[in-house]
Amino acid sequence: MMINYIKKAVTQGKSEEQNLKDSVQSIISNVIEKGDQAIFEYSKAFDSVELDTIKVSADSIDKAKKQLPLTLLEDMKFSIERIKSFAELQRNSISEFENEMIPGVFLGQKVIPIESVGAYVPGGRYPLLSSAQMAIIPAKVAGVEKVQVCTPPMKNGEIHPAVLVAASLSGADEIFSVGGAQAIAALAYGTESISPVNKITGPGNRFVTEAKKQVHGKVGIDLLAGPSEVLVLADEDANPKYIASDLLAQSEHDIHAQGILVTNSETLALAVQSEIDQQLKTLPTAEVARVSWETRGQIILTSTLDEAIEVTNDLASEHLHVQIKDAASYLNRLTNYGSLFLGENASVVYADKVCGTNHILPTNEAAKYTGGVWVGTFLKVVTYQRIEQAGIDVLAPHCVRQSYREGLIGHLRSANVRLTGELDAEKELLTSISKF
């Protein structure tokens, strides 16, 4: 396969990765040891905010709601309904069952909601109110009893009113003014104000992602989401203006976000590169988007469309936007992505905000083994067994013989006592084993 990098990303050094790991480990240890006090110290150090409480009151939510224009509230309710409707369809697709597999042996499946979830909602330079909806609504549709939200404060010490209202309308039970790795540590281990949860969900920056990685095991996590990625797969018929805007839309999230173009058309590749330069001149968020594109952006040229598809599947990007002729016909050839966008009109930003699918998606090639957050993220699919005497008559002889061969005599006795009333197996059973 012949590929050519018209533009290549700058790789991150190992020392930078180790520094990140060590910093997050220190933050987690401090939160475990000092609880709320560590949260207050980090709020002052990282957010330049001095807090005396981190739990948001109902009065604060009401105050925030009064600050928002009616059109914004209408948009929130519209997107909440879209996300909720899609999550309900997903929930209805997961069924419980019980089946008599052989006479007297009944096997079943139960679907049980996780009891408590911590939803992380990023703050930083943009109020990501849609992230609140994506993390909270599927959990509530799944039946999670308690959803605790952590999101960083602004410079005035308050949570952005749009984020606060979005979290409340989405069904958050408690909201806390804390962000970063310290929020993840608090959700995992608990503090005086924040109860420990069973699972943590939500996207974040490098520190949040590293913290989720380090607390995984103590609690469950949805996935290691972030920084944001988009890959545009395009041919010669694609629109350079669309592609440039799609790449920059993700690049403006974070200086570590990544936009990739994979194409079999050199003409298109060069046109997109030129268009990005032009759009950056007028993009208000260019300060971030330019750094992201210059350091992490890539343009990959292949000889054929088949090769472009192969490269795309190997890169396994978070968002995969297919801008080629008859894009929908390639659905079954594309296998590794967090979410798929077919055709030039299916902009990633629609799913990021309002259309209903979830935008908390796998990054760093994790799409090779997992999908994104969905209602099933908040459900435990567990099994159960119910066995009658007719089933014991069939199962026990096989179980006794296998247990004996494995040297697990306690297992053998547990099976045999239900078959014969005796701890040890019948002589003929042991005789048949010896002939094996």
Side-chain angles (χ1 to χ4, degrees):
M1 181 170 61
M2 292 292 294
I3 65 171
N4 178 36
Y5 286 89
I6 291 179
K7 185 186 182 307
K8 203 166 186 177
V10 177
T11 58
Q12 179 175 287
K14 288 186 178 180
S15 61
E16 185 179 351
E17 293 178 5
Q18 187 60 49
N19 289 340
L20 173 64
K21 181 178 179 180
D22 293 343
S23 296
V24 169
Q25 192 171 51
S26 175
I27 291 170
I28 292 172
S29 297
N30 201 23
V31 171
I32 293 172
E33 180 183 350
K34 299 170 68 175
D36 280 357
Q37 184 58 38
I39 300 297
F40 296 144
E41 291 172 0
Y42 287 127
S43 293
K44 184 176 180 179
F46 299 153
D47 301 319
S48 301
V49 172
E50 293 196 37
L51 302 175
D52 53 15
T53 182
I54 55 176
K55 186 173 181 179
V56 176
S57 66
D59 288 342
S60 295
I61 296 172
D62 290 338
K63 176 185 173 183
K65 189 176 292 186
K66 292 174 182 177
Q67 296 178 48
L68 303 182
L70 289 178
T71 51
L72 178 53
L73 289 172
E74 290 171 2
D75 291 341
M76 281 187 193
K77 292 174 182 177
F78 175 83
S79 58
I80 286 171
E81 185 56 38
R82 301 279 62 73
I83 297 164
K84 182 180 178 182
S85 296
F86 190 71
E88 287 172 342
L89 286 173
Q90 291 181 320
R91 178 63 186 89
N92 293 336
S93 73
I94 309 170
S95 61
E96 296 184 342
F97 64 84
E98 181 182 283
N99 192 66
E100 189 172 15
M101 308 301 290
I102 59 176
V105 178
F106 298 85
L107 304 183
Q109 172 175 291
K110 288 284 293 178
V111 182
I112 303 173
I114 294 170
E115 293 176 1
S116 62
V117 165
Y120 186 83
V121 180
R125 57 183 62 87
Y126 310 124
L128 297 178
L129 56 100
S130 56
S131 289
Q133 298 165 345
M134 300 294 180
I136 300 166
I137 295 170
K140 280 302 181 181
V141 170
V144 174
E145 183 177 340
K146 186 176 183 181
V147 176
Q148 298 179 101
V149 174
C150 284
T151 187
M154 300 184 296
K155 296 299 182 183
N156 63 2
E158 298 179 354
I159 295 172
H160 192 287
V163 173
L164 187 53
V165 173
S168 177
L169 292 178
S170 297
D173 296 291
E174 293 182 328
I175 305 171
F176 298 93
S177 180
V178 53
Q182 60 271 27
I184 302 303
L187 289 170
Y189 292 94
T191 70
E192 295 89 339
S193 299
I194 301 175
S195 302
V197 299
N198 301 129
K199 192 168 192 175
I200 298 174
T201 184
N205 62 19
R206 296 180 306 140
F207 289 89
V208 169
T209 301
E210 177 62 30
K212 287 172 70 176
K213 184 187 299 184
Q214 291 191 25
V215 302
H216 187 208
K218 170 64 178 175
V219 295
I221 63 171
D222 49 0
L223 41 78
L224 299 174
S228 187
E229 302 168 347
V230 65
L231 187 154
V232 177
L233 172 63
D235 62 11
E236 65 277 2
D237 294 322
N239 186 328
K241 185 174 292 187
Y242 283 13
I243 295 171
S245 69
D246 295 333
L247 292 171
L248 291 177
Q250 295 304 309
S251 297
E252 73 178 358
H253 272 295
D254 187 282
I255 62 170
H256 300 285
Q258 182 168 54
I260 302 174
L261 169 63
V262 179
T263 181
N264 62 331
S265 169
E266 184 174 5
T267 300
L268 178 79
L270 296 175
V272 169
Q273 191 170 35
S274 176
E275 182 64 32
I276 286 174
D277 291 339
Q278 290 302 311
Q279 290 191 22
L280 280 170
K281 293 177 181 178
T282 59
L283 183 66
T285 55
E287 182 180 359
V288 173
R290 179 177 285 105
V291 175
S292 171
W293 174 250
E294 289 178 353
T295 59
R296 301 278 288 145
Q298 295 192 71
I299 298 178
I300 301 173
L301 179 64
T302 64
S303 299
T304 66
L305 185 57
D306 286 341
E307 288 182 350
I309 292 171
E310 186 178 347
V311 169
T312 295
N313 283 331
D314 185 58
L315 289 172
S317 188
E318 177 188 14
H319 305 93
L320 172 53
H321 194 172
V322 184
Q323 301 188 38
I324 58 179
K325 187 177 181 180
D326 300 323
S329 66
Y330 291 86
L331 175 62
N332 294 330
R333 292 189 60 187
L334 298 164
T335 54
N336 297 329
Y337 50 82
S339 193
L340 180 64
F341 303 81
L342 293 168
E344 64 178 17
N345 289 328
S347 174
V348 171
V349 298
Y350 294 138
D352 270 354
K353 308 299 178 188
V354 295
C355 77
T357 52
N358 207 292
H359 77 199
I360 305 172
L361 302 167
T363 58
N364 296 309
E365 299 187 15
K368 291 180 178 178
Y369 59 81
T370 188
V373 168
W374 67 301
V375 74
T377 301
F378 308 98
L379 297 169
K380 300 179 292 184
V381 179
V382 295
T383 59
Y384 68 89
Q385 305 81 41
R386 184 164 57 85
I387 301 175
E388 298 176 349
Q389 188 60 47
I392 290 173
D393 293 341
V394 176
L395 296 178
H398 296 282
C399 192
V400 165
R401 289 194 293 268
Q402 182 169 326
S403 297
Y404 183 82
R405 293 184 185 112
E406 293 173 347
L408 299 174
I409 305 307
H411 284 63
L412 180 152
R413 289 179 172 183
S414 181
N416 194 64
V417 72
R418 289 168 169 79
L419 177 67
T420 67
E422 303 292 334
L423 288 175
D424 293 321
E426 295 289 342
K427 182 182 292 185
E428 56 268 25
L429 280 174
L430 295 179
T431 300
S432 68
I433 290 170
S434 66
K435 294 177 180 178
F436 179 72

